[in-house]
Short mmCIF file of all heavy atoms in Angstrom, two decimals:
data_model
loop_
_atom_site.label_atom_id
_atom_site.label_comp_id
_atom_site.label_asym_id
_atom_site.label_seq_id
_atom_site.Cartn_x
_atom_site.Cartn_y
_atom_site.Cartn_z
N ASP A 141 -2.00 -36.00 -1.73
CA ASP A 141 -1.95 -37.41 -2.11
C ASP A 141 -1.10 -37.68 -3.34
O ASP A 141 -0.34 -38.65 -3.39
CB ASP A 141 -3.38 -37.93 -2.35
CG ASP A 141 -4.17 -38.07 -1.06
OD1 ASP A 141 -3.55 -38.07 0.02
OD2 ASP A 141 -5.41 -38.18 -1.13
N ASN A 142 -1.23 -36.83 -4.37
CA ASN A 142 -0.46 -37.05 -5.60
C ASN A 142 1.04 -36.98 -5.35
O ASN A 142 1.82 -37.79 -5.88
CB ASN A 142 -0.85 -36.03 -6.66
CG ASN A 142 -2.18 -36.33 -7.31
OD1 ASN A 142 -2.65 -37.46 -7.26
ND2 ASN A 142 -2.80 -35.33 -7.91
N SER A 143 1.46 -36.02 -4.54
CA SER A 143 2.88 -35.89 -4.23
C SER A 143 3.37 -37.07 -3.41
O SER A 143 4.47 -37.60 -3.65
CB SER A 143 3.14 -34.58 -3.47
OG SER A 143 2.87 -33.46 -4.28
N ILE A 144 2.56 -37.50 -2.45
CA ILE A 144 2.93 -38.65 -1.63
C ILE A 144 3.09 -39.89 -2.50
O ILE A 144 4.07 -40.64 -2.37
CB ILE A 144 1.87 -38.90 -0.53
CG1 ILE A 144 1.90 -37.76 0.49
CG2 ILE A 144 2.11 -40.24 0.16
CD1 ILE A 144 0.79 -37.83 1.52
N SER A 145 2.16 -40.10 -3.41
CA SER A 145 2.24 -41.26 -4.30
C SER A 145 3.50 -41.22 -5.16
O SER A 145 4.14 -42.26 -5.39
CB SER A 145 0.99 -41.33 -5.20
OG SER A 145 -0.17 -41.56 -4.44
N SER A 146 3.87 -40.04 -5.63
CA SER A 146 5.07 -39.90 -6.46
C SER A 146 6.32 -40.25 -5.66
O SER A 146 7.19 -41.00 -6.13
CB SER A 146 5.18 -38.46 -6.98
OG SER A 146 4.13 -38.16 -7.85
N TYR A 147 6.40 -39.73 -4.43
CA TYR A 147 7.54 -40.05 -3.58
C TYR A 147 7.60 -41.54 -3.27
O TYR A 147 8.67 -42.17 -3.34
CB TYR A 147 7.46 -39.26 -2.27
CG TYR A 147 8.04 -37.87 -2.32
CD1 TYR A 147 7.22 -36.76 -2.51
CD2 TYR A 147 9.41 -37.66 -2.17
CE1 TYR A 147 7.75 -35.47 -2.56
CE2 TYR A 147 9.95 -36.38 -2.21
CZ TYR A 147 9.12 -35.29 -2.41
OH TYR A 147 9.65 -34.03 -2.45
N VAL A 148 6.46 -42.12 -2.90
CA VAL A 148 6.42 -43.54 -2.54
C VAL A 148 6.82 -44.41 -3.72
O VAL A 148 7.60 -45.37 -3.57
CB VAL A 148 5.02 -43.92 -2.02
CG1 VAL A 148 4.89 -45.44 -1.90
CG2 VAL A 148 4.77 -43.28 -0.67
N LEU A 149 6.32 -44.11 -4.92
CA LEU A 149 6.68 -44.90 -6.10
C LEU A 149 8.16 -44.78 -6.42
O LEU A 149 8.81 -45.76 -6.78
CB LEU A 149 5.84 -44.45 -7.30
CG LEU A 149 4.42 -45.00 -7.36
CD1 LEU A 149 3.66 -44.36 -8.51
CD2 LEU A 149 4.43 -46.52 -7.51
N ASP A 150 8.71 -43.57 -6.30
CA ASP A 150 10.15 -43.39 -6.53
C ASP A 150 10.97 -44.25 -5.58
O ASP A 150 11.94 -44.90 -5.99
CB ASP A 150 10.54 -41.92 -6.34
CG ASP A 150 10.20 -41.05 -7.54
OD1 ASP A 150 9.94 -41.62 -8.62
OD2 ASP A 150 10.18 -39.82 -7.40
N ILE A 151 10.58 -44.26 -4.30
CA ILE A 151 11.35 -45.02 -3.32
C ILE A 151 11.12 -46.52 -3.47
O ILE A 151 12.03 -47.32 -3.24
CB ILE A 151 11.02 -44.55 -1.89
CG1 ILE A 151 11.37 -43.07 -1.73
CG2 ILE A 151 11.79 -45.37 -0.85
CD1 ILE A 151 12.81 -42.71 -2.11
N TYR A 152 9.92 -46.90 -3.88
CA TYR A 152 9.68 -48.32 -4.14
C TYR A 152 10.63 -48.83 -5.23
O TYR A 152 11.27 -49.88 -5.06
CB TYR A 152 8.23 -48.53 -4.57
CG TYR A 152 7.97 -49.86 -5.26
CD1 TYR A 152 8.37 -51.06 -4.67
CD2 TYR A 152 7.35 -49.90 -6.51
CE1 TYR A 152 8.14 -52.27 -5.30
CE2 TYR A 152 7.12 -51.11 -7.14
CZ TYR A 152 7.52 -52.29 -6.54
OH TYR A 152 7.32 -53.49 -7.17
N LYS A 153 10.74 -48.09 -6.33
CA LYS A 153 11.64 -48.51 -7.41
C LYS A 153 13.09 -48.51 -6.95
O LYS A 153 13.88 -49.37 -7.36
CB LYS A 153 11.45 -47.58 -8.62
CG LYS A 153 10.11 -47.75 -9.32
CD LYS A 153 9.95 -49.16 -9.86
CE LYS A 153 8.65 -49.32 -10.62
NZ LYS A 153 8.49 -50.73 -11.11
N TYR A 154 13.43 -47.57 -6.12
CA TYR A 154 14.78 -47.48 -5.55
C TYR A 154 15.08 -48.70 -4.68
O TYR A 154 16.12 -49.36 -4.84
CB TYR A 154 14.87 -46.19 -4.76
CG TYR A 154 16.10 -45.97 -3.93
CD1 TYR A 154 17.37 -45.97 -4.49
CD2 TYR A 154 15.99 -45.71 -2.56
CE1 TYR A 154 18.50 -45.73 -3.71
CE2 TYR A 154 17.11 -45.46 -1.78
CZ TYR A 154 18.36 -45.48 -2.35
OH TYR A 154 19.47 -45.23 -1.57
N LEU A 155 14.17 -49.03 -3.77
CA LEU A 155 14.36 -50.18 -2.89
C LEU A 155 14.34 -51.49 -3.67
O LEU A 155 15.08 -52.43 -3.35
CB LEU A 155 13.29 -50.19 -1.80
CG LEU A 155 13.34 -49.03 -0.80
CD1 LEU A 155 12.13 -49.08 0.14
CD2 LEU A 155 14.63 -49.04 0.00
N GLU A 156 13.49 -51.56 -4.68
CA GLU A 156 13.42 -52.75 -5.52
C GLU A 156 14.76 -52.99 -6.21
O GLU A 156 15.26 -54.13 -6.24
CB GLU A 156 12.31 -52.58 -6.55
CG GLU A 156 12.09 -53.80 -7.43
CD GLU A 156 11.00 -53.57 -8.46
OE1 GLU A 156 11.01 -52.51 -9.12
OE2 GLU A 156 10.15 -54.46 -8.62
N TYR A 157 15.35 -51.92 -6.74
CA TYR A 157 16.67 -52.04 -7.37
C TYR A 157 17.70 -52.52 -6.36
O TYR A 157 18.50 -53.44 -6.64
CB TYR A 157 17.10 -50.69 -7.95
CG TYR A 157 18.57 -50.61 -8.25
CD1 TYR A 157 19.10 -51.11 -9.44
CD2 TYR A 157 19.46 -50.05 -7.33
CE1 TYR A 157 20.46 -51.06 -9.70
CE2 TYR A 157 20.82 -49.99 -7.58
CZ TYR A 157 21.32 -50.50 -8.76
OH TYR A 157 22.67 -50.45 -9.01
N LEU A 158 17.71 -51.94 -5.16
CA LEU A 158 18.70 -52.31 -4.15
C LEU A 158 18.57 -53.77 -3.75
O LEU A 158 19.58 -54.47 -3.55
CB LEU A 158 18.55 -51.40 -2.93
CG LEU A 158 18.95 -49.94 -3.13
CD1 LEU A 158 18.61 -49.12 -1.89
CD2 LEU A 158 20.42 -49.81 -3.46
N GLU A 159 17.35 -54.25 -3.65
CA GLU A 159 17.16 -55.66 -3.32
C GLU A 159 17.69 -56.56 -4.42
O GLU A 159 18.25 -57.64 -4.14
CB GLU A 159 15.68 -55.95 -3.04
CG GLU A 159 15.20 -55.36 -1.73
CD GLU A 159 13.81 -55.87 -1.34
OE1 GLU A 159 13.32 -56.81 -1.99
OE2 GLU A 159 13.24 -55.33 -0.38
N GLU A 160 17.54 -56.12 -5.66
CA GLU A 160 18.02 -56.93 -6.79
C GLU A 160 19.54 -57.08 -6.77
O GLU A 160 20.07 -58.05 -7.29
CB GLU A 160 17.56 -56.30 -8.10
CG GLU A 160 16.07 -56.47 -8.36
CD GLU A 160 15.61 -55.77 -9.63
OE1 GLU A 160 16.45 -55.08 -10.25
OE2 GLU A 160 14.43 -55.90 -10.00
N ILE A 161 20.23 -56.11 -6.17
CA ILE A 161 21.69 -56.21 -6.10
C ILE A 161 22.15 -56.68 -4.71
O ILE A 161 23.33 -56.57 -4.36
CB ILE A 161 22.37 -54.87 -6.45
CG1 ILE A 161 22.00 -53.76 -5.47
CG2 ILE A 161 22.04 -54.47 -7.88
CD1 ILE A 161 22.80 -52.47 -5.68
N GLY A 162 21.19 -57.19 -3.92
CA GLY A 162 21.55 -57.82 -2.65
C GLY A 162 21.48 -56.97 -1.41
O GLY A 162 21.99 -57.36 -0.35
N ILE A 163 20.86 -55.79 -1.50
CA ILE A 163 20.76 -54.90 -0.33
C ILE A 163 19.30 -54.86 0.10
O ILE A 163 18.48 -54.16 -0.50
CB ILE A 163 21.26 -53.49 -0.65
CG1 ILE A 163 22.71 -53.54 -1.13
CG2 ILE A 163 21.15 -52.58 0.59
CD1 ILE A 163 23.22 -52.23 -1.69
N SER A 164 18.96 -55.63 1.15
CA SER A 164 17.57 -55.73 1.58
C SER A 164 17.29 -54.95 2.86
O SER A 164 16.13 -54.78 3.24
CB SER A 164 17.18 -57.20 1.80
OG SER A 164 18.04 -57.81 2.74
N ASN A 165 18.35 -54.48 3.52
CA ASN A 165 18.20 -53.71 4.76
C ASN A 165 18.46 -52.24 4.46
O ASN A 165 19.59 -51.87 4.09
CB ASN A 165 19.16 -54.22 5.83
CG ASN A 165 18.92 -53.58 7.18
OD1 ASN A 165 18.38 -52.47 7.28
ND2 ASN A 165 19.34 -54.24 8.24
N PHE A 166 17.45 -51.40 4.62
CA PHE A 166 17.60 -49.98 4.29
C PHE A 166 18.65 -49.29 5.15
O PHE A 166 19.21 -48.26 4.77
CB PHE A 166 16.25 -49.26 4.44
CG PHE A 166 15.65 -49.32 5.80
CD1 PHE A 166 15.97 -48.39 6.77
CD2 PHE A 166 14.75 -50.33 6.12
CE1 PHE A 166 15.41 -48.45 8.04
CE2 PHE A 166 14.18 -50.40 7.38
CZ PHE A 166 14.52 -49.46 8.34
N LEU A 167 18.97 -49.85 6.31
CA LEU A 167 19.98 -49.25 7.19
C LEU A 167 21.41 -49.50 6.69
O LEU A 167 22.34 -48.87 7.17
CB LEU A 167 19.84 -49.79 8.61
CG LEU A 167 18.56 -49.39 9.35
CD1 LEU A 167 18.49 -50.08 10.70
CD2 LEU A 167 18.48 -47.88 9.52
N SER A 168 21.55 -50.42 5.74
CA SER A 168 22.89 -50.74 5.23
C SER A 168 23.21 -50.04 3.91
O SER A 168 24.26 -50.29 3.31
CB SER A 168 23.04 -52.25 5.07
OG SER A 168 22.15 -52.74 4.08
#
Side-chain angles (χ1 to χ4, degrees):
D141 288 344
N142 284 340
S143 294
I144 292 173
S145 295
S146 295
Y147 275 98
V148 169
L149 281 174
D150 280 344
I151 300 306
Y152 163 52
K153 291 299 183 182
Y154 172 58
L155 294 174
E156 183 181 46
Y157 163 83
L158 291 174
E159 288 191 10
E160 288 176 355
I161 62 173
I163 302 171
S164 57
N165 187 337
F166 59 87
L167 293 175
S168 64

